[in-house]
Amino acid sequence: MPRYVRFTLFGKPSYGLAQDEGVRPLAGDPFDGGRDEPQGEVLPWDVITLRPPTSPTKIVAVGRNYVDHAKELGNDVPKEPLLFLKPPSCLVAHGDDVVYPEGESELVHHEGELALVIGRRARHVSEADAAAHILGYTIMNDVTARDLQRRDVQFTRAKSFDTFGPLGPWLDTDFVPAAQRLTVHVNGELRQDGRVDQMVFQPAMLVAYVSRIMTLEPGDVITTGTPAGVGPLVPGDRVVVAIEGLGELENGVVGG
Ligand code: ZN
């Protein structure tokens, strides 16, 4: 099962294949045909710095895409996907800290989500063709300042603080969404528990829908919404988003 990671070694960014002992560097990246050309020796995990597994031009997020989550915040399920954007500047890697925006927000929430990564440019693609444009899947924590989201009409401020986009740990090109369990634990306590087939709008539909609005470039991310159980994060917390068969994304929260 190919799992691609992005990492830096001596400051130089590269892609590699995740293996038990470490990372096997790639000549290119998973987007340009370099997928199957590992080179050099396996680099042990402790010598590299993990980065988010893609460097997107945009992160398209889908709101209220699980019935139970829409209900818990007092919202109806939208008749068509509710889209918003997160800036690429919010991304951090597995293991990095989420910095609590003290002085700006008093209620920061976790939202564990399945995220898809585009492999081939997509513009006006049909739902039937959409799968060919998805390279693989990863995990996102769509960290949200819930108080600011409620105060503002637009979601931009609430969703966009630096570090509000943990993404990773890898990009898995074999993962096929079905009924896998998605959980979020905070300090070991189960907060969110859903299955990815509970999504209202499924990945292929979302790619087709978004591609009618904006061109999706290789590396772009669509994060597909969160199940019920969103709740607060505070400095000192450790939050783990896990998707069965895909992996675990773990981050700490620090004051800032
Ligand atoms: Zn979300």
Side-chain angles (χ1 to χ4, degrees), residues 61-64 69 84 86 111-113 141-144 146 159 223-226 230:
V62 184
R64 301 169 195 160
H69 170 62
F84 59 93
K86 285 174 83 82
E111 294 190 357
E113 309 197 354
N141 190 346
D142 173 22
V143 179
T144 302
R146 194 71 70 202
K159 297 284 190 176
T223 189
T224 61
T226 200
V230 297

Side-chain angles (χ1 to χ4, degrees), residues 124-128 130 203-213 216:
H124 294 274
V125 300
S126 68
E127 199 169 325
M205 186 279 179
L206 292 170
V207 169
Y209 183 82
V210 174
S211 82
R212 300 206 302 269
I213 303 159
L216 289 164

Side-chain angles (χ1 to χ4, degrees), residues 75-96:
N75 296 305
D76 292 329
V77 175
K79 292 191 174 57
E80 47 188 0
L82 171 65
L83 304 181
F84 59 93
L85 292 170
K86 285 174 83 82
S89 50
C90 77
L91 290 176
V92 289
H94 171 70
D96 287 348

